[in-house]
Amino acid sequence: MSKVYLKEQEYGKENVRLAKVIRKEKWHEIIELTVRVLLDGEFESSYTKADNSMIIATDSMKNTIYILAKQSSCVEDIEIFASEIGQHFITTYSHVHKATISITKHKWTRMLIDGKLHDHSFLRDGEDVHDTKVVVSRKGITIESGLKNLLVLKTTGSAFHGFLRDKFTTLQETDDRILSTSIDATWNFNTISTDSIAKIPFNDIFESIKQITLHTFATDNSASVQATLFLMAKNGLEKHSEIESIRYELPNKHYFTYDLERFGLKNTGKDSDIFVPVSDPAGLITATVARVKE
Ligand SMILES: O=c1[nH]c(=O)c2[nH]c(=O)[nH]c2[nH]1
């Protein structure tokens, strides 16, 4: 019989859904999060010897998330709240070596009613979210943040020609096409010390990266998804020195012109206005862009 060993492990609770209301008299804020906690440490005997004595029950982890949410004044700053949760686990339990906390913040946009921002009513205006993954260990903290599911489309300002042609190629070149994608972006912060974390304006950086991404998408005369992706990342890195690298994952959500010639109707070139949105299969363009180390 061959000998085996536990190569690696992480365990915890995921999909912990949590909402917090912050009341400033009649003016309310709502924060809705989905949290995941994964712990690494001295848990080997629970796998290899059926010894549960070191296991922190995942149910206790869930309770801890709600308790810390009640006590924290930083729940809205998901990077900081995630590091508070991570710090809690590594300082409370000496056998926990690393805590990986992932948080997704869901969108609740304040309603505009009779021309005024309403004090306690919100709407979901889009499925795009802000998320973060924070790894806390005794060596320090690493933080990555992201923007996910931001669906965008432009009706012109996008071409695709000059690509490799061989016996497998049927795609026509185009000077003008619809470009649509669901933007996933992830950015990494330079290594952060526990003391300096509160000084980083994570929410402002998120809003800025989102605006830079949208501005680049709208204004770039796109030669390809690849070229537009690189420009988005370059613009983000140029604006934010706190960030080391940015990764984008951009599905190319194709809109093909429908063949209406068969019905005696022109629908190509300048006459094209009827398209079939084809979500699958989709192209998928991914890249990580990093700063050149001086
Ligand atoms: O911008 C694009 N990049 C590609 O790699 C590609 N491939 C394809 O079929 N269409 C496109 N568009």
Side-chain angles (χ1 to χ4, degrees):
M1 229 175 39
S2 58
K3 263 188 136 181
V4 299
Y5 72 107
L6 183 74
K7 194 171 173 204
E8 57 184 17
Q9 78 82 44
E10 275 186 308
Y11 84 105
K13 205 73 156 181
E14 67 169 352
N15 294 333
V16 180
R17 295 191 53 188
L18 148 71
K20 180 165 185 171
V21 177
I22 298 171
R23 300 186 185 84
K24 295 166 190 154
E25 301 187 351
K26 283 174 71 185
W27 184 262
H28 293 183
E29 312 275 351
I30 175 80
I31 301 145
E32 184 170 336
L33 310 180
T34 302
V35 183
R36 179 163 99 159
V37 173
L38 288 176
L39 300 183
D40 190 4
E42 289 156 45
F43 296 107
E44 187 175 350
S45 60
S46 67
Y47 294 86
T48 60
K49 299 200 169 81
D51 166 15
N52 291 350
S53 61
M54 299 301 254
I55 295 182
I56 303 157
T58 67
D59 191 64
S60 314
M61 296 183 200
K62 176 199 69 186
N63 291 339
T64 305
I65 292 167
Y66 289 105
I67 293 165
L68 294 177
K70 179 81 181 169
Q71 293 167 344
S72 174
S73 57
C74 299
V75 173
E76 206 209 344
D77 301 300
I78 53 173
E79 290 85 352
I80 297 177
F81 183 47
S83 54
E84 286 178 353
I85 298 172
Q87 287 291 350
H88 168 89
F89 282 104
I90 68 157
T91 52
T92 309
Y93 307 101
S94 60
H95 66 295
V96 174
H97 298 166
K98 188 178 86 176
T100 302
I101 317 297
S102 305
I103 301 184
T104 300
K105 178 158 73 177
H106 304 283
K107 209 173 179 190
W108 284 119
T109 303
R110 194 174 292 280
M111 285 188 195
L112 196 61
I113 301 294
D114 299 329
K116 277 196 341 209
L117 289 171
H118 199 263
D119 52 19
H120 63 257
S121 299
F122 304 84
L123 78 155
R124 172 83 29 99
D125 60 344
E127 291 302 322
D128 53 303
V129 294
H130 175 181
D131 67 1
T132 189
K133 182 167 149 190
V134 175
V135 181
V136 183
S137 72
R138 287 183 187 78
K139 286 190 224 136
I141 300 181
T142 63
I143 300 185
E144 69 179 40
S145 294
L147 163 67
K148 301 283 148 63
N149 302 332
L150 182 63
L151 185 59
V152 294
L153 179 149
K154 63 197 275 191
T155 52
T156 189
S158 166
F160 187 56
H161 45 71
F163 49 89
L164 186 153
R165 296 207 83 85
D166 62 12
K167 64 181 177 183
F168 299 105
T169 315
T170 55
L171 186 71
Q172 297 297 306
E173 304 205 340
T174 177
D175 284 336
D176 191 14
R177 63 175 181 175
I178 289 179
L179 184 60
S180 177
T181 186
S182 176
I183 298 169
D184 278 7
T186 311
W187 50 96
N188 291 77
F189 290 89
N190 304 318
T191 310
I192 295 164
S193 70
T194 326
D195 313 332
S196 60
I197 189 170
K199 296 190 196 114
I200 301 173
F202 292 102
N203 286 340
D204 294 347
I205 294 169
F206 170 82
E207 291 302 336
S208 168
I209 298 274
K210 182 172 170 179
Q211 271 320 308
I212 290 167
T213 302
L214 291 177
H215 189 274
T216 310
F217 178 82
T219 56
D220 179 38
N221 213 349
S222 174
S224 65
V225 177
Q226 285 89 333
T228 303
L229 181 159
F230 189 78
L231 197 58
M232 285 173 174
K234 181 172 178 284
N235 291 342
L237 287 168
E238 274 172 5
K239 181 82 196 279
H240 292 288
S241 57
E242 314 88 329
I243 294 170
E244 247 168 28
S245 66
I246 306 187
R247 175 176 178 78
Y248 281 96
E249 299 199 4
L250 302 180
N252 188 1
K253 295 183 165 286
H254 305 296
Y255 284 69
F256 295 125
T257 48
Y258 196 69
D259 180 4
L260 290 173
E261 303 291 320
R262 296 169 294 173
F263 307 98
L265 297 168
K266 285 200 167 148
N267 197 41
T268 54
K270 287 192 175 29
D271 296 311
S272 63
D273 58 355
I274 300 299
F275 297 84
V276 193
V278 180
S279 43
D280 295 311
L284 181 61
I285 315 301
T286 73
T288 304
V289 181
R291 228 174 269 291
V292 176
K293 297 228 160 68
E294 304 280 310

